[in-house]
């Protein structure tokens, strides 16, 4: 029978030490960032309103639930892939604006409502498309990166069914950007999904869902009012084993509080 020998004197490899230094720098940079003091429009479609309250109030996460260096690296790669998608679409003939006036100092397109307590920043606005596409403009452009499994689900079922949080974000952004970009809510948004594993691209036109936008707007107001009143909104589930609860960064805190 094989004998398992434990090496209690294991010395971290060169790669381990470099990675530890990299992750320490990344996490320190993330901690130093100013805490967001508003409810993000991109988050309104999250399943649990109580979790959104914790997020909005910057409630400390459960021990060990802060983003690791690896997760932060994944986020950073997603941002870089989005920049590549912008370049690819522009090269294909899409007149895509990601900054006002497409100037480096133009500032990102976005909105602020409820006294600045609900805000959002859009990935881009399409002013024109290649000839022959029949693309109605101006059109909101939103881009997400996904692993292969989630990307395939998005291709198969569409963003509204496979990624309802993203669908809610699109509807909210179309609604709130209308004041700044007249016509943007009348035209379908263009949603781009990048498969991080294979570099495959998926593009979908998403018609404005006014009912969804209104529900999400009402939800935002409900969260703000409850938080101001010191009230906790209901959990998304009655059982801690529920999928969303098992992956929630505030699960310990939440389930230690009254229902």
């Amino acid at each position: 029978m094989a004998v398992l020998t434990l090496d209690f004197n294991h010395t971290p490899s060169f790669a381990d030490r470099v990675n530890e230094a990299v992750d320490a720098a990344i996490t320190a940079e993330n901690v130093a960032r100013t805490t967001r003091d508003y409810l993000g429009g991109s988050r309104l479609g999250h399943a649990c309103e109580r979790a959104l309250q914790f997020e909005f109030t910057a409630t400390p996460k459960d021990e060990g639930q802060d983003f690791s260096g690896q997760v932060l690296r994944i986020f950073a790669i997603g941002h870089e892939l989005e920049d590549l998608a912008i370049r690819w679409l522009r090269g294909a003939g899409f007149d895509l604006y990601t900054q006002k006036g497409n100037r480096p100092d133009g500032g990102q397109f976005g909105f602020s409502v409820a006294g600045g307590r609900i805000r959002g920043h859009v990935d881009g606005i399409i002013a024109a498309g290649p000839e022959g596409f029949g693309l109605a403009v101006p059109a909101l452009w939103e881009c997400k990166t996904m692993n292969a499994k989630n990307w395939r689900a998005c291709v198969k079922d569409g963003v509204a069914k496979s990624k309802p949080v993203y669908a809610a974000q699109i509807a909210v952004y179309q609604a709130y950007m209308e004041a700044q970009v007249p016509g943007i809510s009348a035209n379908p948004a263009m949603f781009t999904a990048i498969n991080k594993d294979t570099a495959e691209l998926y593009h979908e036109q998403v018609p404005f869902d006014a009912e969804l936008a209104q529900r999400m707007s009402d939800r935002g107001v409900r969260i703000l009012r409850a938080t101001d009143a010191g009230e906790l909104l209901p959990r998304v589930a009655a059982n801690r084993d529920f999928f969303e609860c098992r992956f929630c960064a505030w699960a310990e805190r939440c389930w230690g509080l009254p229902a």
Side-chain angles (χ1 to χ4, degrees):
M1 183 176 70
V3 177
L4 177 63
T5 303
L6 299 178
D7 181 8
F8 293 102
N9 298 310
H10 172 70
T11 302
S13 69
F14 176 74
D16 290 337
R17 291 164 59 203
V18 173
N19 287 340
E20 286 173 7
V22 167
D23 287 351
I26 293 172
T27 53
E29 181 184 24
N30 185 60
V31 169
R33 287 196 181 101
T34 303
T35 302
R36 193 164 69 178
D37 60 354
Y38 59 87
L39 185 58
S42 63
R43 300 290 296 152
L44 287 173
H46 188 279
C48 183
E49 293 184 1
R50 183 180 289 194
L52 286 175
Q53 280 186 287
F54 290 144
E55 194 172 304
F56 170 58
T57 56
T59 301
K61 297 177 182 178
D62 295 341
E63 186 176 353
Q65 290 298 315
D66 287 317
F67 293 133
S68 66
Q70 181 180 2
V71 170
L72 292 171
R73 281 187 271 124
I74 290 171
F75 292 161
I77 289 170
H79 292 311
E80 294 298 322
L81 288 176
E82 181 183 315
D83 288 341
L84 280 174
I86 292 167
R87 197 172 82 197
W88 294 334
L89 288 171
R90 284 175 175 164
F94 288 87
D95 190 7
L96 174 59
Y97 283 69
T98 57
Q99 302 280 335
K100 295 175 183 177
N102 262 354
R103 303 189 314 271
D105 62 345
Q108 195 174 9
F109 291 98
F111 63 86
S112 175
V113 296
R117 303 176 79 197
I118 300 177
R119 302 183 211 171
H121 299 90
V122 308
D123 289 336
I125 295 171
I126 298 175
E131 215 174 302
F133 276 73
L135 187 68
V137 294
L140 177 76
W141 179 67
E142 283 298 321
C143 180
K144 303 293 183 186
T145 61
M146 307 174 187
N147 63 30
K149 179 181 178 181
N150 287 326
W151 187 86
R152 287 193 296 268
C154 195
V155 173
K156 177 177 179 288
D157 297 321
V159 65
K161 181 177 179 181
S162 66
K163 293 292 180 182
V165 175
Y166 297 162
Q169 176 184 357
I170 290 169
V172 167
Y173 283 18
Q174 285 173 299
Y176 283 137
M177 288 299 297
E178 178 65 28
Q180 296 180 52
V181 187
I184 199 167
S185 65
N187 303 322
M190 179 171 160
F191 174 74
T192 295
I194 307 172
N195 185 328
K196 290 187 287 190
D197 298 338
T198 65
E200 291 174 283
L201 301 175
Y202 170 67
H203 310 281
E204 178 181 343
Q205 288 187 282
V206 185
F208 177 49
D209 188 335
E211 190 273 335
L212 175 59
Q214 187 62 59
R215 280 196 289 114
M216 293 300 101
S217 179
D218 292 345
R219 183 182 226 206
V221 171
R222 183 164 58 250
I223 290 169
L224 294 180
R225 286 178 175 170
T227 304
D228 288 345
E231 299 172 357
L232 273 177
L233 289 167
R235 302 184 186 98
V236 67
N239 191 312
R240 185 170 178 168
D241 289 335
F242 185 68
F243 175 81
E244 294 284 351
C245 297
R246 285 192 286 117
F247 292 94
C248 179
W250 295 276
E252 292 295 331
R253 176 186 296 275
C254 178
W255 286 95
L257 295 170

